[in-house]
Amino acid sequence: MQKGNIGVTTENIFPVIKKFLYSDHEIFLREMVSNAVDATQKLKTLAQQGEFKGEEGDLTVHVSLDKDKGTITISDRGIGMTEEEIDKYINQIAFSGVNDFLEKYKDNANNIIGHFGLGFYSSFMVSKKVEIITKSYKDGAKAVKWSCDGSPAYEIDEAEKEDRGSDIILYIDDDCKEFLEKEKIQQLLNKYCKFMAVPVAFGKKQEWSSEKKEMVDTDKDNVINDVEPLWTKAPSTLKDEDYKSFYRTLYPMHDEPMFWIHLNVDYPFNLTGILYFPRIKSNIDLQRNKIQLYCNQVFVTDQVEGIVPEFLTLLHGVIDSPDIPLNVSRSYLQSDREVKKISTYITKKVADRLQAIFKEDRKGYEEKWDDLKLFINYGMLSEESFYDKAKDFALLKDTEDKYFTFDEYKTLIESAQKDKDGNLIYLYATDKDEQYSYIQAAKDKGYSVLLLDGQLDVPAIQMLEQKFEKSRFTRVDSDIIDRLIVKDDAPKSNLSEDESANLSQVFRSQMPKIEKTEFVVEVQSLGDQQRPVVITQNEWMRRMKEMSRFQQGMNFYAQMPDSLNLVLNSDHPLVKRVLDDCKQNTEEALKPIEAELKGQEARLAAIRQQQDKKKPEELTQDDKDMKAETEKAVEEQKQKKQDVLNNFAAKNDIVHQLIDLALLQNGMLKGEALDKFLKRSVDLIK
């Protein structure tokens, strides 16, 4: 028997491994099975080279559980180890046998996984004791048993073992008993070993026994993995159904993908994989982390932000590459120039694939656009280089469900939708039903209206305004139709200043109190064919509020109330009627008030003119009191005037009806206010 200490520089190597080296204890099973697969692949390589002339036989790796003994055993029929090799590769941490082997057989090595020589020691994360019983494939080799209890001390002794290969026996620690549950091991094997390149068996297949009325074991191994997953096969040999079936294997609960990209590159790096375009309309965050990263068919992680650009994390599928640099635990990507090259390559392949689909089957591409739009907008917003490619296959959809490239749409609207300053105005709606009347008003003017109802459309608008020359996006309800695209100077109102002010006050006084909403009333001459009252919302302010949902630092806008404009059309007969009724019902009451108001305003103007000639320190207390008293008198008369107008407005059904119609058009009339409107409508019809 040989005894010794493992060649490490510190007595504390095992606590380090147990707590810090590996991000998750469950990875131990991946590492153990990976080592068994490595040993098996080495044997296959030696057989191909003619250096192993024996029978390969069944090369299945077996994982077995003994709950009574508290052990997990991983067995292979690979190359095994001699006592000297155990001393070199097990007792000297970080001196990996894989590196030596790869150097010797670099041109024909079968998917050797490990690069660090530390994988075996992950077993001590969950084990109080580990045994290796191994026998080398070499002629005359003797079986050897190595054991270690989690300290640097180990023992090597002779052992009995008929066949070549290794059995790794893990005596599971008391605080890790969950790993002795069959369901847990099945789950981990399915997660990490599902596509390893050598068959991996866990237990026996089961079938229903009508005699015992339960599932019973058969004599067939329960192989848990597919040794030739779809991404390892040549695309020319595969059909659409193969890709769809593989997608269902990866994501059983997901809708069918729209299409996919089969990656296969061997220069300047090795990379294979299949990326699927899922159907995404919203909820970006729920769709992330669906790409699985493999290293020679061994699962590494589904956190792939480091290897693919952020917007590509919306894709689903598999990437497999031995060239992606990992840290020693194979759990995290390391930043590297090679990663950047791979990222750039994947972006290019995605863009090329989208361009090809667009050219080959535009109709089919348009049918998928609503699902694709979020992904492409995200890409254009986050990657400048992707915008340069995507601008040729990104689409704009109008409210009639017609699709256009950027250039096509510009050509369509160029003649009709330029304002007086030469800016091209892109009109858009975000909801066809809610904004129907505004859309219709634009169409009646001969304008086209886009439908931009996606999760990232508002940020995309900001970007496109910067990319498109002399162009601006304006929502159809952001202003009255004649001011959406200003062709000429606005017509002068036919009302006097006093009439406009009185009319504004009449309507302003009856506007409802809506939480976080402010109304600004204005009078415009719009023609007798336009609506009497229209509610609009300033494009810039609304857009800033919407952008605050996406960008940090814009919370100021989110807190501000919605500012809406109530535009009164002074040319409309109903508005004229309100004004006429107002004159008839308030003229007598307003005459003395307006006379007094004008007198007080004239007096205040004279006082201000006189006092402006003096320095502040020259003003006497009498001067200040006289000014304050006159200002108070002016405000009192203004309030009296408002009270008269407000009393008229409160009793005028047409004022309330016009306001409610405008609110109803914008989905803002609810509850008691809606009930009053309905009753008033019936009364007006009688």
Side-chain angles (χ1 to χ4, degrees), residues 635-685:
E635 289 307 312
E636 285 175 351
Q637 295 307 312
K638 283 183 177 178
Q639 187 59 54
K640 286 181 180 179
K641 181 177 180 180
Q642 281 189 9
D643 290 344
V644 171
L645 294 170
N646 294 355
N647 288 334
F648 159 75
K651 300 170 186 173
N652 190 289
D653 283 343
I654 295 178
V655 170
H656 291 120
Q657 196 74 355
L658 290 177
I659 289 173
D660 286 352
L661 282 169
L663 292 170
L664 185 66
Q665 181 190 2
N666 289 270
M668 301 171 69
L669 192 66
K670 298 173 183 176
E672 184 183 358
L674 178 59
D675 187 59
K676 285 183 178 179
F677 167 76
L678 294 173
K679 289 176 179 175
R680 190 188 318 115
S681 297
V682 172
D683 291 340
L684 287 170
I685 293 170

Side-chain angles (χ1 to χ4, degrees), residues 442-585:
K443 287 181 179 178
D444 291 344
K445 295 281 283 188
Y447 299 154
S448 171
V449 181
L450 294 170
L451 182 62
L452 301 178
D453 57 354
Q455 189 177 355
L456 290 180
D457 280 345
V458 171
I461 286 169
Q462 298 282 103
M463 172 197 65
L464 293 177
E465 284 180 333
Q466 294 172 15
K467 299 289 186 183
F468 295 173
E469 188 177 345
K470 287 201 77 175
S471 298
R472 188 171 69 251
F473 282 73
T474 301
R475 206 166 91 174
V476 286
D477 60 349
S478 64
D479 213 328
I480 58 174
I481 186 62
D482 288 326
R483 291 195 312 211
L484 286 174
I485 304 176
V486 179
K487 302 287 188 177
D488 304 296
D489 292 332
K492 298 270 194 219
S493 174
N494 51 7
L495 301 185
S496 69
E497 195 173 321
D498 279 348
E499 287 175 325
S500 289
N502 289 352
L503 189 60
S504 295
Q505 179 57 36
V506 164
F507 279 84
R508 186 184 299 111
S509 67
Q510 302 308 304
M511 295 306 295
K513 299 290 186 286
I514 299 176
E515 187 179 358
K516 294 194 75 174
T517 303
E518 293 178 352
F519 289 97
V520 177
V521 180
E522 58 177 306
V523 179
Q524 292 287 326
S525 177
L526 306 177
D528 58 7
Q529 297 303 308
Q530 296 298 326
R531 297 179 189 278
V533 181
V534 181
I535 291 176
T536 65
Q537 185 175 14
N538 177 270
E539 170 75 18
W540 184 85
M541 194 63 208
R542 188 197 63 252
R543 201 187 294 182
M544 290 303 102
K545 287 175 71 70
E546 290 177 356
M547 286 291 290
S548 68
R549 302 203 315 266
F550 301 98
Q551 293 185 14
Q552 291 182 343
M554 293 187 69
N555 200 43
F556 165 75
Y557 292 105
Q559 302 305 317
M560 293 181 69
D562 289 331
S563 181
L564 303 179
N565 300 318
L566 185 81
V567 183
L568 307 176
N569 179 8
S570 60
D571 295 330
H572 196 280
L574 285 174
V575 176
K576 287 180 176 179
R577 182 174 163 186
V578 170
L579 188 59
D580 290 342
D581 287 349
C582 181
K583 284 179 183 177
Q584 288 179 21
N585 287 279

Side-chain angles (χ1 to χ4, degrees), residues 611-654:
Q611 293 188 2
D612 285 345
K613 295 175 183 177
K614 296 181 180 181
K615 294 178 181 178
E617 61 269 21
E618 295 174 343
L619 293 175
T620 66
Q621 188 59 44
D622 287 343
D623 290 337
K624 294 176 183 177
D625 290 346
M626 182 170 55
K627 181 181 177 184
E629 287 170 7
T630 309
E631 286 174 340
K632 183 181 177 184
V634 167
E635 289 307 312
E636 285 175 351
Q637 295 307 312
K638 283 183 177 178
Q639 187 59 54
K640 286 181 180 179
K641 181 177 180 180
Q642 281 189 9
D643 290 344
V644 171
L645 294 170
N646 294 355
N647 288 334
F648 159 75
K651 300 170 186 173
N652 190 289
D653 283 343
I654 295 178

Side-chain angles (χ1 to χ4, degrees), residues 27 59 63 104 239 275 283 332 344 462 591 638 644:
I27 288 174
L59 295 178
V63 178
K104 187 174 180 183
K239 297 177 181 176
L275 294 178
N283 297 324
Y332 301 103
T344 302
Q462 298 282 103
K591 268 182 184 177
K638 283 183 177 178
V644 171

